[in-house]
Amino acid sequence: MSVRSLTRKRPRSVAGQVFVLQVAVVLLLAAGAVLALVLQSRHDGDREARNRSVAVAETFAHSIGLQEALKAPDPSKILQPLTEETRRRAGVDFIVVMDTRGIRYTHPQPDRIGQRFVGTIEPSLAGRVHTESVEGPLGREIQAIVPVTATGGEVVALVSAGLTVQNVTGVVERQLPVILGVSAAGLAVATIGTALVTRRLRRQTHGLGTLEMTRMYEHHDAVLHAVREGVLITDGDGRLLLANDEAKRLLDLPPDAEGRHIGQLPRLDQQMAGLLLSGREATDEVLAAGNRLLVVNQRPTKPHGQPEGTAVTIRDSTEMRVLTSRADAARRRLKLLYDAGVGIGTTLDVVRTAEELADVAVPRFADFVTVDLADQVLHGDEPTGTSADMRRTAVSGIRDDQPLYPRGKLIDFLPSTPQARGLDTGQAELVPDLADAPGWFAQDPPVARSIIEYGIHSLITAPLKARGVILGVVNFWRMEKPEPFDDDDVSLAEELVARAAVSIDNARRYTREHTVAVALQRSLLPRGIPEQSAVEVAHYYLPAQSGVGGDWFDVIPLSGSRVALVVGDVVGHGLHAAATMGRLRTAVHNFSSLDLPPDELLSRLDDLVQRIDHNGEDGADADDDGMLGATCLYAVYDPVSQRCVMARAGHPPPVLVRPDGPVEILQLPIGPPLGLGGMPFETAEFHLSEGSQLVLYTDGLIEDRTRDIDEGLELLRTALSHPDRPPQASCRAILDVLLPARPRDDVALLIARTRTLGADRVAEWDVPFEPSAVGAMRAVVVKKLDEWGLSALAFGTELILSELITNAIRYGSAPVRMRLLRDRTLTCEVSDGSSTSPHLRYAATTDEGGRGLFLVAQLSQRWGTRYTPAGKVIWAEQALPGASGDPEQELLGFFDIDNIDIDTL
């Protein structure tokens, strides 16, 4: 449509319309410029006056010496010259210093000094800087009032500085001619430009009239606003030139967005604004704008060969965002469950497994996680399945100052709590709002109140259930996220807890089996060291972290005040190794009762292991795996001769600490481990001075991942380099140096410091090989017992030696020797050169003989036979006077002693 002229005679041309429009625009711009200049001048003048006034007043208020001048008898005399000089240099019209009542100390007009200040001083008395416009003595003034504060913050005076209005105006008068001249020049340029535009329009419109151009615009507008894709066009300065309806909807643009700078659009997303202002090319770039996910394409426009703006198209892909969000949530969930599968159950420790569960869930799923297990579970037993006696086992969170129950607390959940309901039903419980959960609140109101005040607002409690048995409960607490847990979170919690429950149950069952194995093993190990005088003993045993094993040690008293020292090691861990250790230990006790030499004892033990292995392979019990292997070291020490005989079957060598200081590793002949067979065992004999320390150990003491065996042996030698220490102190020193923090194998250690049985406690005689020597030997023995103060044992000792010597002469061979040992018992020994062993039997009433060894057995605590390379030794032990079970009193009740003819025995 066309614009009519004022005379309505004919329509004006486009160039004429442009000319009229340009004249109007020029006049409007000139008027606007004048108005804007006036307003801006006033605004800039006021702002400049306020800024300068504040700066000058604050500078003077904080100047050095001002407060000292205020304290002078006549502050005006000091301050008036200073303020006037400062006022002239700072370019302000006045600087006034006044007290807190507003009475002036200075003023450009001296007659105003001492009068009340014109203005508002209350804000400045409160410590604030105050600016205002007032009608003052110099006219209309813009002034700033600044407080002068003492060191403690007290306002002691005020400083005001300002300018009169007439000094900050006058810009309009100076610039108005310039504006009018520019407007006239613009009108002239517009006239010339109109002619040029007319010619250019004819070329650019290709001769189209206004009607055709209007129709083209309408078609363009219809297409632009009908498409379901946002379109934006910006210029090179970042101003929005065009936005269709879809773009305004997607970007939430205001109706007047076109023509405004991109950075000034209030609700435009910052990422989108940054892309539009950058002007760079973008192809299918995905941006989040509010709750929408937009796909943006941007290309620069080059209408004249130079970039002058951009054309942007936008598509809504919010549904794709929803799908992506769900996929991301599923990925995070799978990652959490994967990490739980890898990170939970790395050990077979119940407490550690519960801690791993809590650590995995924080902070990816919950802000705090607590795990409460039944007390029975912690000990490896089956739980009762009630809410009572729940022990807080693990606590993990994003902060350490949380108000939840601490680790180790025993909790009895009330029936109204979600934990108790979950334990009863076996299902997870969701508490969206803890502040509105009276059942949970009733458990412990003070603690519940502190939890809510702390900021924890939502809870999921899920029972730990494995194989149909409820082991405990896991609590997931949320604080950081404002939204509560939902049903999807409950599903994830149930799945996470279900996986952890299997690991905890495995750890529980392992704990039970480990406890049983430890109990079995400790029952098979020596509960105490038997009393004996040959050695002073210290010992230590520690099972491996991975389970009990088959290490053992023993101290076995032998005849003749001797003692056997044993250390052994069964390969493997668990009940089988512990049971095997018990069998071997029992066998060693049985074989040692026969007084076998160390090499022969190990040979019999080796045969036993082979038979056990053979029975395990061929027997009916398919679960018996036999012995996986065992080592043993057996030593016998005689305190009379101070000799020690040893043999080893695949075991580490012992260490000897001599009393004069040297520490040496005894080089014994190496025998094969027990059960291999085919090779004999050899013995080695050593003379041990009194006070020597013999150290026996298992390989778990010297072997470790961080060092080799040689290094371990050297550390052992170093720890034993103090021979004056007692065995108990040496044991502690060895453990401090060699014992690892988490031993992978059992550790058994036995330290024996040797003693001697002195010559004053040993008596020995050669016995003539004839029956008549029995009476003489009895007399010698009675005399020795009198010397030792053991006359009370003379009768029994005479009977025992008479029988033993008679048997040696009658059934044995020369030479015959007799020995008495006074130790914890009185030991009588008779040796001869024959290997024939006597046997105890019950004689019939019609038999003339056969009752000798029976009498020996009745008179002694114990008796027996041991074999030597030169023959045999028959020995009998009697309790010293005052000991329980006196054999003489028992014998008096057995038969009438008065009817016995001792000489005929």
Side-chain angles (χ1 to χ4, degrees):
M1 54 186 300
S2 60
V3 180
R4 299 284 182 175
S5 66
L6 296 178
T7 59
R8 292 186 176 272
K9 292 182 179 179
R10 58 184 180 85
R12 293 186 179 271
S13 63
V14 174
Q17 296 176 24
V18 171
F19 177 73
V20 173
L21 180 60
Q22 287 180 338
V23 172
V25 169
V26 170
L27 295 177
L28 184 60
L29 289 175
V34 173
L35 178 60
L37 182 62
V38 172
L39 296 177
Q40 185 64 34
S41 177
R42 290 182 179 179
H43 177 267
D44 291 346
D46 287 351
R47 184 177 60 184
E48 176 65 22
R50 291 176 187 272
N51 292 341
R52 187 183 300 177
S53 299
V54 170
V56 174
E58 284 190 336
T59 302
F60 197 85
H62 293 85
S63 61
I64 300 174
L66 174 60
Q67 295 191 26
E68 287 75 5
L70 291 172
K71 297 176 182 178
D74 187 4
S76 299
K77 182 177 181 181
I78 300 173
L79 296 175
Q80 179 67 13
L82 293 176
T83 56
E84 287 301 299
E85 178 66 22
T86 303
R87 178 182 65 81
R88 287 191 296 271
R89 291 179 177 273
V92 296
D93 292 329
F94 65 89
I95 297 176
V96 175
V97 182
M98 68 197 85
D99 60 14
T100 56
R101 296 171 300 166
I103 304 303
R104 301 188 184 99
Y105 291 132
T106 65
H107 195 275
Q109 299 176 2
D111 59 334
R112 301 284 181 173
I113 297 175
Q115 296 183 9
R116 188 173 183 82
F117 176 73
V118 177
T120 305
I121 64 174
E122 286 75 9
S124 299
L125 292 176
R128 299 193 300 273
V129 176
H130 178 66
T131 60
E132 60 183 357
S133 177
V134 299
E135 192 69 33
L138 302 179
R140 188 68 178 172
E141 302 170 345
I142 296 175
Q143 61 187 11
I145 303 118
V146 177
V148 179
T149 58
T151 305
E154 179 186 1
V155 178
V156 298
L158 303 174
V159 175
S160 175
L163 296 170
T164 58
V165 175
Q166 64 180 1
N167 289 334
V168 297
T169 59
V171 179
V172 177
E173 290 80 357
R174 294 193 299 271
Q175 296 184 359
L176 186 59
V178 177
I179 294 174
L180 295 176
V182 171
S183 299
L187 186 59
V189 171
T191 304
I192 298 172
T194 301
L196 297 175
V197 168
T198 301
R199 296 175 60 187
R200 180 174 293 272
L201 284 175
R202 290 195 183 99
R203 292 197 305 268
Q204 292 182 348
T205 59
H206 304 284
L208 295 176
T210 56
L211 185 59
E212 289 83 0
M213 293 180 63
T214 301
R215 186 175 299 147
M216 287 183 61
Y217 172 76
E218 290 174 349
H219 291 169
H220 169 269
D221 188 65
V223 173
L224 183 64
H225 294 286
V227 296
R228 299 299 298 170
E229 186 169 300
V231 177
L232 297 176
I233 297 179
T234 64
D235 62 9
D237 297 328
R239 194 172 303 276
L240 182 62
L241 302 180
L242 183 142
N244 67 347
D245 295 341
E246 183 68 7
K248 292 180 179 179
R249 184 185 70 84
L250 295 177
L251 300 180
D252 196 18
L253 298 177
D256 59 344
E258 294 177 340
R260 298 174 63 178
H261 193 272
I262 296 297
Q264 297 176 351
L265 297 176
R267 294 188 294 272
L268 184 61
D269 183 78
Q270 294 300 315
Q271 283 187 307
M272 179 64 71
L275 176 60
L276 297 177
L277 290 173
S278 68
R280 61 180 175 83
E281 289 191 9
T283 301
D284 291 338
E285 189 166 323
V286 180
L287 295 178
N291 58 352
R292 292 189 176 91
L293 196 67
L294 304 179
V295 179
V296 182
N297 288 276
Q298 178 171 273
R299 293 292 184 273
T301 59
K302 302 179 180 180
H304 300 293
Q306 296 294 329
E308 295 185 2
T310 58
V312 184
T313 59
I314 305 172
R315 298 194 311 273
D316 187 2
S317 60
T318 305
E319 293 183 359
M320 183 184 298
R321 180 186 183 185
V322 173
L323 294 175
T324 303
S325 177
R326 291 178 180 176
D328 186 59
R331 181 189 61 81
R332 291 195 302 269
R333 175 171 178 161
L334 291 175
K335 182 66 167 60
L336 175 60
L337 294 175
Y338 171 78
D339 291 343
V342 174
I344 299 176
T346 59
T347 66
L348 288 173
D349 182 81
V350 174
V351 175
R352 181 56 191 154
T353 304
E355 292 173 348
E356 290 171 346
L357 167 59
D359 293 339
V360 164
V362 176
R364 290 186 288 177
F365 180 64
D367 298 315
F368 299 95
V369 175
T370 58
V371 181
D372 306 323
L373 298 178
D375 249 1
Q376 299 92 333
V377 174
L378 298 175
H379 296 93
D381 300 327
E382 288 279 352
T384 59
T386 63
S387 57
D389 298 336
M390 286 290 168
R391 182 80 62 180
R392 179 135 297 177
T393 308
V395 179
S396 181
I398 58 176
R399 291 165 59 179
D400 295 331
D401 59 343
Q402 43 78 20
L404 302 171
Y405 283 146
R407 182 184 292 107
K409 182 175 178 58
L410 190 63
I411 308 171
D412 184 4
F413 290 110
L414 296 179
S416 62
T417 60
Q419 290 87 350
R421 293 195 301 270
L423 290 171
D424 291 338
T425 63
Q427 302 296 323
E429 291 281 331
L430 170 63
V431 183
D433 187 4
L434 289 174
D436 189 23
W440 168 80
F441 198 87
Q443 173 70 30
D444 192 338
V447 173
R449 192 176 299 108
S450 63
I451 290 174
I452 294 174
E453 293 174 353
Y454 188 76
I456 298 176
H457 59 82
S458 188
L459 165 69
I460 293 178
T461 177
L464 277 161
K465 184 168 62 174
R467 299 182 298 106
V469 178
I470 295 180
L471 309 174
V473 64
V474 183
N475 304 296
F476 301 94
W477 311 83
R478 175 168 286 182
M479 182 181 73
E480 292 291 330
K481 295 182 179 179
E483 65 273 8
F485 286 117
D486 54 24
D487 292 337
D488 290 339
D489 295 324
V490 173
S491 175
L492 178 57
E494 289 178 331
E495 191 168 354
L496 181 63
V497 170
R499 296 193 177 195
V502 176
S503 298
I504 292 179
D505 187 57
N506 290 338
R508 177 194 66 81
R509 289 191 289 175
Y510 170 78
T511 301
R512 180 186 60 193
E513 294 176 359
H514 181 72
T515 303
V516 171
V518 169
L520 172 63
Q521 185 186 42
R522 293 196 180 279
S523 68
L524 296 175
L525 287 171
R527 299 188 178 183
I529 300 301
E531 293 184 358
Q532 43 78 38
S533 302
V535 291
E536 178 187 356
V537 176
H539 58 88
Y540 179 82
Y541 175 78
L542 178 67
Q545 291 290 332
S546 58
V548 298
D551 291 14
W552 88 93
F553 63 89
D554 254 319
V555 178
I556 306 173
L558 302 177
S559 63
S561 295
R562 297 170 305 138
V563 65
L565 306 175
V566 189
V567 171
D569 182 4
V570 176
V571 177
H573 297 90
L575 288 174
H576 179 67
T580 302
M581 177 269 289
R583 298 161 80 176
L584 291 181
R585 181 169 176 257
T586 302
V588 171
H589 271 268
N590 292 333
F591 293 149
S592 65
S593 66
L594 301 176
D595 266 326
L596 299 175
D599 56 341
E600 186 174 345
L601 184 143
L602 291 180
S603 296
R604 296 199 179 188
L605 200 61
D606 181 62
D607 293 338
L608 174 65
V609 173
Q610 293 184 60
R611 287 198 301 271
I612 293 175
D613 285 339
H614 180 73
N615 293 336
E617 294 174 0
D618 300 336
D621 188 359
D623 294 334
D624 189 355
D625 296 330
M627 294 189 185
L628 300 178
T631 65
C632 183
L633 189 149
Y634 187 84
V636 177
Y637 171 69
D638 187 347
V640 177
S641 63
Q642 296 180 272
R643 293 198 169 272
C644 183
V645 182
M646 309 180 199
R648 60 170 173 158
H651 203 80
V655 177
L656 177 63
V657 183
R658 299 192 180 275
D660 54 351
V663 179
E664 59 179 303
I665 299 175
L666 299 180
Q667 299 300 320
L668 304 183
I670 301 176
L674 299 175
L676 295 182
M679 295 184 64
F681 297 97
E682 300 181 51
T683 61
E685 186 175 316
F686 301 91
H687 181 275
L688 304 183
S689 304
E690 184 176 8
S692 300
Q693 294 190 34
L694 190 62
V695 182
L696 311 181
Y697 54 91
T698 56
D699 55 3
L701 181 68
I702 59 174
E703 290 183 0
D704 189 66
R705 288 180 299 180
T706 61
R707 62 173 181 264
D708 55 24
I709 295 180
D710 292 338
E711 184 180 354
L713 288 173
E714 188 60 35
L715 291 175
L716 180 60
R717 289 168 58 102
T718 303
L720 291 170
S721 59
H722 300 278
D724 55 331
R725 285 187 307 208
Q728 196 64 41
S730 297
C731 186
R732 287 194 298 268
I734 292 173
L735 297 176
D736 291 340
V737 173
L738 288 170
L739 191 64
R742 296 181 61 87
R744 296 185 303 165
D745 196 5
D746 293 14
V747 174
L749 175 64
L750 180 66
I751 301 179
R753 181 160 64 179
T754 61
R755 298 168 177 166
T756 60
L757 203 63
D760 58 330
R761 302 170 66 184
V762 180
E764 189 172 6
W765 300 273
D766 291 325
V767 179
F769 196 73
E770 56 187 25
S772 61
V774 176
M777 290 297 103
R778 286 203 307 264
V780 172
V781 168
V782 171
K783 182 179 179 181
K784 176 55 69 176
L785 293 179
D786 290 339
E787 293 178 5
W788 284 347
L790 300 177
S791 299
L793 299 179
F795 175 74
T797 305
E798 285 185 88
L799 287 178
I800 291 172
L801 288 177
S802 295
E803 174 61 30
L804 297 182
I805 294 174
T806 300
N807 284 341
I809 295 174
R810 180 177 299 177
Y811 303 110
S813 61
V816 178
R817 294 184 61 83
M818 180 179 65
R819 187 171 72 166
L820 292 182
L821 302 176
R822 180 171 61 88
D823 195 6
R824 295 177 181 272
T825 61
L826 178 64
T827 304
C828 304
E829 294 182 351
V830 175
S831 62
D832 66 87
S834 171
S835 300
T836 303
S837 176
H839 298 282
L840 178 67
R841 67 185 181 89
Y842 290 94
T845 56
T846 59
D847 291 341
E848 295 183 359
R851 297 179 178 86
L853 288 181
F854 182 76
L855 291 177
V856 172
Q858 292 298 317
L859 288 170
S860 62
Q861 285 184 325
R862 61 177 187 145
W863 73 279
T865 303
R866 69 173 181 268
Y867 295 93
T868 65
K872 67 176 181 296
V873 176
I874 303 177
W875 54 269
E877 294 179 356
Q878 300 176 79
L880 297 180
S884 60
D886 192 340
E888 288 199 27
Q889 297 300 323
E890 297 179 1
L891 185 62
L892 290 176
F894 179 71
F895 61 88
D896 187 2
I897 193 171
D898 294 332
N899 295 327
I900 298 178
D901 185 2
I902 299 177
D903 293 333
T904 63
L905 292 178

